[in-house]
Amino acid sequence: MRKRDPSQKSWAEPWKIKMVEPVRRTTPEYRRERLREAGYNTFLLASEDVSIDLLTDSGTSAMSDYQWAGLMLGDEAYAGSRNFYHLEANVRKFYGYKHVVPTHQGRGAEHLVAQIYIKKGDFVPGNMYFTTTRMHQELAGGAFVDVIVDEAHDPESQAPFKGNVDLQKLEDLIKKVGCEAIPYVSLAATVNMAGGQPVSMQNARELRALCERYAIPVLLDATRAVENAYFIQQREQGYREKKVAEILFEFCSLTDGAWMSAKKDSLVNIGGWLALNDEEKFDAARNLVVVYEGLHTYGGLAGRDMEAMARGIEESVEDDHIRARVGQVEYLGQKLLSWDVPVVLPIGGHAVFLDAKRFYPHIPRENFPAQTLAAQIYLEAGVRTMERGILSAGRDPKTGQNRLPRLELVRAAIPRRVYTQAHMDVTAEAIEEVYWNRKRASGLRLIYEPRYLRFFQARLEPV
Ligand SMILES: *Cc1c(COP(=O)(O)O)cnc(C)c1O
């Protein structure tokens, strides 16, 4: 008899399943047909034709019994719903900002921030762009400037905080354009487009000090800030003994406000908010939210949605929850790594990112290697993923040319509390199979291209 190695200890999810939703299985022939109809764009597949849906972790989480119970306590008043006050209290308690308005989702808040802060000709530095964030900055007349550290663009760099701001790049920009032309620094934690990579507390502190010198506010994209706090706990000196909730609070205290897509960290299917410490700017936000979202105490949400969000915030900062959440992503990533499948390192907080350039070195960028890979993974096993490369990057608004991001990735985003380890095993095996057959793949070309955020609705065909 052999004794199990006692240092190899498994952990289990801190929840059990109370209700299930059947998943449909399909044949390769069926999927080939559906993929063709969908223009080889995984966004255009019907969800019923997908067996394991890793398109996004946005709005796809499973709510807890505590959250579902909260839905029944929805106070559907037009003004002053008690659920708004619960939400406001929890944003103040866990994120620490003074003033809050709800929005229907993250981009609703991004729209308000951009309209309030940005004037035509401004520059908005950020640690790598996010699709909707940059779009709103541009529509408000600003130009996004990437000031993330160089390692972020290198999928093989194992740096622990690849989301960090390169303070030198930022200071160079300030000196070049002047601080009057920089309405705020757009800080994201974690950085989705870099592969779910975190920002260190030290970097946030140094950023704060630099921005204070030039009187530039720092605004946080707090969408995945809880996952960022978990990485700080695990990787940064001095934080091992601190609770994730404490770390989150400290991190936010280094910023002047935040926008939030609660569809990610906060474990709800819809919702978001904008929080600002500055009274004047908040006043503008409260005015503008009425125009675009709804009254400042509901912002496009039902009372029940705000209650689910308030409760989701409480659950999202629990150490056990976040460890299991990020741990499941790590499990999938390690499995792929053990089979030499090229993934972005370190493995991110919400998703495993596959490096399509190393999958398909023979497919030129203009034939969308990452889009091709996402299509192949669906064909293989009905697993749906998303392109994060040249198609997502879109075109330069001035020149009309394709933007050429250095990263050409496919994202397998893991919904929170939805799939089991067995789903991760099936996913890993499907991706490994696609990797083995990589030489047979050829690229795609566009046959329909929308003007804004083209990746959502573009249609393609095989070359
Ligand atoms: C999802 C997301 C947004 C936009 O939020 P929506 O709720 O989808 O409108 C903004 N920033 C980041 C980092 C996101 O992941």
Side-chain angles (χ1 to χ4, degrees), residues 58 105-108 110 130 132-133 190 192 221 223-224 259 261 263-264 271:
S58 179
Q105 58 183 85
R107 71 198 70 180
E110 289 175 335
F130 182 73
T132 56
T133 317
T190 57
N192 186 8
D221 184 335
T223 299
R224 295 188 186 84
W259 63 89
S261 170
K263 302 172 71 171
K264 322 289 169 52

Side-chain angles (χ1 to χ4, degrees), residues 343-462:
V343 301
V344 175
L345 294 170
I347 291 155
H350 65 299
V352 174
F353 289 76
L354 308 171
D355 186 352
K357 276 190 190 165
R358 279 190 285 154
F359 257 80
Y360 297 141
H362 60 288
I363 300 182
R365 284 306 277 293
E366 61 269 22
N367 292 128
F368 307 104
Q371 189 75 11
T372 305
L373 178 54
Q376 289 299 323
I377 292 169
Y378 173 72
L379 263 188
E380 179 63 36
V383 175
R384 174 155 70 170
T385 56
M386 181 196 294
E387 192 257 13
R388 291 276 90 151
I390 182 169
L391 191 67
S392 293
R395 292 180 186 273
D396 187 297
K398 281 216 187 79
T399 66
Q401 294 298 304
N402 277 321
R403 287 176 163 127
L404 262 188
R406 270 167 69 189
L407 297 179
E408 181 72 20
L409 308 177
V410 165
R411 185 182 82 169
I414 314 299
R416 296 163 185 78
R417 309 192 292 204
V418 170
Y419 291 114
T420 64
Q421 211 137 302
H423 289 112
M424 297 301 108
D425 292 339
V426 169
T427 299
E429 288 164 22
I431 294 171
E432 192 261 0
E433 195 64 31
V434 171
Y435 187 56
W436 267 99
N437 295 322
R438 63 192 177 274
K439 297 221 170 69
R440 274 192 250 147
S442 55
L444 298 165
R445 69 172 152 245
L446 276 167
I447 50 177
Y448 166 67
E449 181 175 356
R451 171 137 172 242
Y452 297 125
L453 301 174
R454 64 180 180 179
F455 58 96
F456 281 129
Q457 286 145 356
R459 304 184 72 85
L460 302 96
E461 64 179 14

